[in-house]
Amino acid sequence: MSFRQSQTGCSEFRKSLNLQRRDFLKAGGLGLTGLTLAGLLEHEAHAGPAAKTENSVIILWMRGGPSQHETWDPKPLAPADYRGAFGAIKTSVPGIEIVDLMPRCASIMDKWSIIRSLHHTNAGHSAGDQILFTGYPPGTDPTTNVHPSCGAVVSEQLGHLTPELPPYVMIPRQVPGTDSAYLGVAHKPFETLADPANAGPFTLQNFSLLEGMSQNRFSRRKDLLKGFDQFRTDLDRSGQLDAINEFQQQAFGILSSDKARKAFDLDAERDSTRDRYGFTARYDPMDPRRCSASAFSQRLLLGRRLVEAGVRLVTVDCRWWDTHVEGFDSMKNGFLPRWDQAYSALIEDLDQRGLLESTLVVAWGEFGRTPRVNKNSGRDHYPNVFSAAIAGGPVKGGRVVGSSDSKGAFPKDNPKTPQDVLATIYQHLGVNTEKHYLDHSGRPIVTLPFGEPLHELA
């Protein structure tokens, strides 16, 4: 890590960056063979038969904590030190306004809705991650899951929607809160690792390595595995080792599947579609006190491709919305223009493809920002009230759930919790929130401790 990276953003941001870099290097060293994937499949087999449901979810994870004032809950009538630098714009739905730097989102307000009264009590990045992904508070180390993420629960309860594709995918890699905890390695997310935000063709490592392997060599690998497993089966007359061959064959099946290859083939999209989502380059404010914005637009497009192909839950990393210093500049020149283009493109794309009714899209971060602007023209961590955008599935567009007070400091009416959003996700997918699991100490833990689906959106 460079000196500049080590000095970037708030202290928790730097710690998280170190952890994620270490995890990425560890994952990047796995290489081909499909053995890691096979391991996941082996553990997954213990989960029992999968339920049948056609619905899916895309979580757009706005890590860092997007400001409610500068996104979906502007306060144009508040004093200047609360209002901030931007105004509000009317949307296509009378009576609903959002920040004036998102005109494309405003023009399709009838297709998506807003939750303005979310709240919890922890102002730590990773702690907030845990709360929003699991419904439970963090443990001693907030970067490590004590409880499974919603994606891991979906994987455990529902399994594969399409056999050739994993049920739970992270683009491009895990963040705190997204792990499987006591549900085991079988229900960890499949990480693309390759990042569609980077320039050049997008190719998953395993697929690209397979390109250099002839069909004969690939077949010989499978035959070798088959022969090895037969040898082990001969040694183990109980037949318990027969399963190894099945798991390996499933792994190779996914890696060699045309359906999987096509789902991840982002370059197969029409140029007009890719242009609609945008190719905005990474935003770098060139200031070690400030956070950059990744070129996340094409990640959203890959998320659409994956749910269309049959992935149940996709989480897209849309970081970093951590705007302590010169936050208005970062929002104006970094985050909001690319978000306005990519988010509106995703919602319209899903709608035009007939996928919006079956695909619930939740866009949120771990908390909001302080209602009062700080001395550095930014806003700090603030969980007492924040907003989220939600669309698709059971959600009717053009609605607002709850409200914050006149300064955007606390819920004013109809307060909602992250658990209510998780309950909405689970209901859409058909997850049993009352199911209990045994944690690592053998204690029974319910899937979701509390929370009610957002009936106001239906």
Side-chain angles (χ1 to χ4, degrees):
M1 174 171 288
S2 69
F3 172 78
R4 184 169 183 276
Q5 284 176 310
S6 69
Q7 299 299 311
T8 298
C10 68
S11 59
E12 188 179 354
F13 169 83
R14 295 194 297 271
K15 179 181 178 183
S16 179
L17 192 65
N18 278 324
L19 289 169
Q20 288 152 27
R21 180 175 180 272
R22 181 187 66 198
D23 292 342
F24 174 67
L25 292 174
K26 185 188 301 181
L30 293 177
L32 180 64
T33 73
L35 295 178
T36 299
L37 181 55
L40 295 179
L41 293 166
E42 179 176 2
H43 286 278
E44 186 181 81
H46 298 294
K52 300 299 181 183
T53 174
E54 299 299 318
N55 292 339
S56 57
V57 169
I58 299 175
I59 296 174
L60 303 178
W61 187 236
M62 304 169 76
R63 192 155 198 251
S67 167
Q68 63 274 23
H69 297 76
E70 279 75 60
T71 52
W72 305 302
D73 192 13
K75 299 296 180 183
L77 301 180
D81 54 344
Y82 289 87
R83 178 176 69 245
F86 309 137
I89 187 175
K90 293 181 179 179
T91 70
S92 61
V93 177
I96 300 179
E97 295 182 339
I98 60 175
V99 72
D100 57 4
L101 295 181
M102 292 198 289
R104 291 188 178 188
C105 290
S107 70
I108 60 164
M109 188 75 244
D110 60 305
K111 300 184 186 302
W112 61 284
S113 290
I114 302 169
I115 310 166
R116 285 180 172 165
S117 56
L118 286 164
H119 68 286
H120 63 80
T121 59
N122 198 311
H125 284 300
S126 297
D129 295 344
Q130 297 292 342
I131 294 168
L132 269 69
F133 277 112
T134 73
Y136 282 90
T140 304
D141 177 3
T143 65
T144 301
N145 279 64
V146 175
H147 301 280
S149 69
C150 55
V153 169
V154 168
S155 173
E156 193 281 331
Q157 289 201 23
L158 304 180
H160 295 273
L161 179 57
T162 301
E164 299 91 342
L165 289 165
Y168 173 30
V169 174
M170 279 288 315
I171 304 173
R173 60 190 66 87
Q174 284 189 248
V175 298
T178 59
D179 212 345
S180 55
Y182 44 76
L183 293 187
V185 68
H187 305 295
K188 294 169 77 72
F190 176 83
E191 300 172 279
T192 65
L193 297 183
D195 188 355
N198 294 334
F202 172 74
T203 307
L204 265 67
Q205 181 181 358
N206 282 344
F207 290 157
S208 62
L209 289 172
L210 281 175
E211 294 290 349
M213 184 185 297
S214 69
Q215 185 59 44
N216 286 339
R217 285 183 64 203
F218 188 60
S219 297
R220 286 200 300 272
R221 278 184 176 240
K222 291 196 289 185
D223 290 342
L224 179 62
L225 284 168
K226 184 176 181 180
F228 175 69
D229 292 328
Q230 183 61 52
F231 171 72
R232 295 192 67 182
T233 301
D234 289 342
L235 293 178
D236 178 25
R237 293 300 178 183
S238 69
Q240 292 179 4
L241 295 176
D242 284 341
I244 296 175
N245 183 63
E246 178 185 350
F247 301 135
Q248 295 289 358
Q249 295 301 325
Q250 286 185 60
F252 276 109
I254 289 177
L255 292 179
S256 61
S257 161
D258 283 340
K259 183 156 190 170
R261 187 179 296 271
K262 288 176 181 177
F264 286 98
D265 186 8
L266 190 60
D267 297 303
E269 286 289 338
R270 292 178 299 178
D271 289 344
S272 59
T273 301
R274 298 199 70 176
D275 289 341
R276 174 65 181 90
Y277 279 79
F279 286 95
T280 310
R282 175 177 175 268
Y283 169 72
D284 187 349
M286 303 300 290
D287 183 337
R289 301 171 300 164
R290 298 168 62 184
C291 293
S292 59
S294 61
F296 54 71
S297 303
Q298 297 294 306
R299 295 178 185 174
L300 273 64
L301 176 54
L302 180 60
R304 188 272 289 164
R305 287 186 65 84
L306 293 180
V307 297
E308 187 173 33
V311 175
R312 291 190 187 275
L313 191 145
V314 178
T315 298
V316 182
D317 188 352
C318 302
R319 69 182 58 200
W320 262 97
W321 298 73
D322 200 24
T323 50
H324 295 278
V325 178
E326 297 297 336
F328 303 125
D329 181 68
S330 292
M331 295 295 270
K332 180 179 180 179
N333 296 306
F335 286 98
L336 292 178
R338 76 191 61 215
W339 180 265
D340 187 44
Q341 180 172 357
Y343 180 74
S344 61
L346 175 64
I347 301 306
E348 288 187 319
D349 198 8
L350 289 169
D351 189 33
Q352 292 165 4
R353 291 173 176 271
L355 296 170
L356 197 56
E357 288 188 6
S358 61
T359 307
L360 180 65
V361 182
V362 178
W364 60 346
E366 60 269 38
F367 40 60
R369 312 302 293 188
T370 49
R372 193 168 192 167
V373 179
N374 66 27
K375 63 181 181 180
N376 295 312
S377 297
R379 301 184 193 266
D380 301 315
H381 302 181
Y382 194 76
N384 294 331
V385 72
F386 59 106
S387 299
I390 188 166
V395 174
K396 303 296 183 184
R399 299 190 179 188
V400 175
V401 175
S403 67
S404 64
D405 61 23
S406 62
K407 294 180 178 178
F410 297 98
K412 180 181 178 182
D413 62 62
N414 199 8
K416 297 296 181 182
T417 67
Q419 289 80 5
D420 296 325
V421 177
L422 290 173
T424 304
I425 290 173
Y426 286 148
Q427 183 182 68
H428 173 66
L429 293 172
V431 166
N432 177 10
T433 58
E434 299 299 320
K435 182 175 180 178
H436 285 72
Y437 299 99
L438 296 181
D439 68 8
H440 292 305
S441 65
R443 296 178 303 166
I445 305 294
V446 71
T447 298
L448 188 67
F450 60 89
E452 295 293 330
L454 297 165
H455 61 85
E456 300 94 332
L457 294 171

